[in-house]
Each structure stands twice: as structure tokens, then as C-alpha cells.
Amino acid sequence: MDVMFLGVSKEHWEIINGFANWLAAIGTISAVIISLHLSAKGSKRTARLSVNLTLVIEVGSDQHPEHIMFSVVNTGDRVFHTSSIGWLFGKKDKQYFQQLFDDQMSSQMPLMQASGVTGKWIFNVQDGSWFSRMANFLGDDWKKNIKTFKAIATTTTGEEFLAFPSKDLLEKLKLACEARTANPVINV
């Protein structure tokens, strides 16, 4: 006599139990994969870097000198220490340049940045010499190099946050490169 439960024979229950074991195994493996993904994603430090031309307006002064401002915002949950700012360009042979900044108008360096904390570093470019010097660094291949020209902020643990500079900053840099090409005597 066949044993029946809920109208299903013992042989059919064994087949159903076999599928249940497979489904349980697939569910366990999926849970492990998702938890590993979430733990790896949560451990990464994240930030938003922006670099813009800005005018500094001083009370009681008719002069509004132009500056470049680096801004780094911690957009993640992990604390990091911003240790330097600078520039890089190139694809294969990347060239890095550390940027000096005005200590009085900028955040300290290194700067501990918890979630949501912003660090700002600023330096004067009013006289145009920064653009001329950077045009010299970009060299004769400036049209190719300016396409990969980026700002960089690094942390004490080696993370790098990259961003393209603002369009107005890149336009001024292009003008300096064109001037350098048109008048090579002024190359420093």
C-alpha cells in the first residue's frame, strides 16, 4: 500500500524534498554573495572633489583676486584624512604635481574628514603665472594632455579622489597653452 499525504505519494514527496534542498542551497549561496558585496562596498571611502575658479571678495577692497579652490566632501560613512591636493595628466605615463595653497584661507592639511565634512584649499592665480607654468608642464602635446588633466586629492591611506577642473579653469589653461605655442620665447 502506498503512503499518501495530502494526496501526494511518498515518491513524489522525495522529489519535492530534493528540489527544496537545492533551493535552500541556492538561497544560502545568494545570501553569502550579497553580504560579501555589501561589506566590501561599505569599506570603501568615498568623496566628491571639485575644483573651480572663484573670486575672493574682501570687505573694503575694490580688488577681487581670482583663486582656484579645491573642495573635498566626504560622501561616505568612513573617516579619512586628506593629505595632499594636486594635478595629474597623461594616460600611460601619468605626471603628478602637488599643489601648494594659501594656509590662512584654507583648511589644515592633513584634514580629518568624517561623513559630510568639507575641506577647502585655495590659492591665488590672479597674476596668471600659474596658468603659464602649468602650460609649460603640459608641453608641446598640450592638446592631448589637457584632455586627461585632472585634479587629485589623496588620503594618508593612499586613496585618490579625482575630478576634472571646471570648464572656465580649463578654458583659461587652454588660452595659456595657445599663448605658449604662439610665443615660445616666454616659455619658462
Side-chain angles (χ1 to χ4, degrees), residues 89-90 138 141-150 164-165 169-175 177:
F89 66 85
L138 290 172
D141 289 335
W142 69 267
K143 288 182 182 180
K144 178 181 79 169
N145 291 333
I146 205 163
K147 292 177 183 175
T148 61
F149 186 73
K150 294 179 186 169
F164 286 105
L169 192 153
L170 284 175
E171 284 302 317
K172 282 198 163 201
L173 185 54
K174 284 179 186 177
L175 290 174
C177 290

Side-chain angles (χ1 to χ4, degrees), residues 65-68 102 122-127 130:
E66 194 167 43
H67 288 69
I68 293 177
D102 184 332
I122 190 168
F123 56 96
N124 192 317
V125 293
Q126 184 64 36
D127 67 359
W130 181 88

Side-chain angles (χ1 to χ4, degrees), residues 110-125:
L111 176 66
M112 184 175 87
Q113 292 186 252
S115 182
V117 172
T118 301
K120 294 187 181 206
W121 297 274
I122 190 168
F123 56 96
N124 192 317
V125 293

Side-chain angles (χ1 to χ4, degrees), residues 47-68:
R48 186 178 67 242
L49 168 64
S50 60
V51 180
N52 300 295
L53 279 175
T54 187
L55 297 177
V56 174
I57 299 174
E58 298 178 24
V59 177
S61 174
D62 294 337
Q63 306 261 332
H64 308 300
E66 194 167 43
H67 288 69
I68 293 177

Side-chain angles (χ1 to χ4, degrees), residues 158-171:
E159 286 94 0
E160 295 180 344
F161 305 117
L162 302 171
F164 286 105
S166 63
K167 288 183 181 181
D168 55 346
L169 192 153
L170 284 175
E171 284 302 317

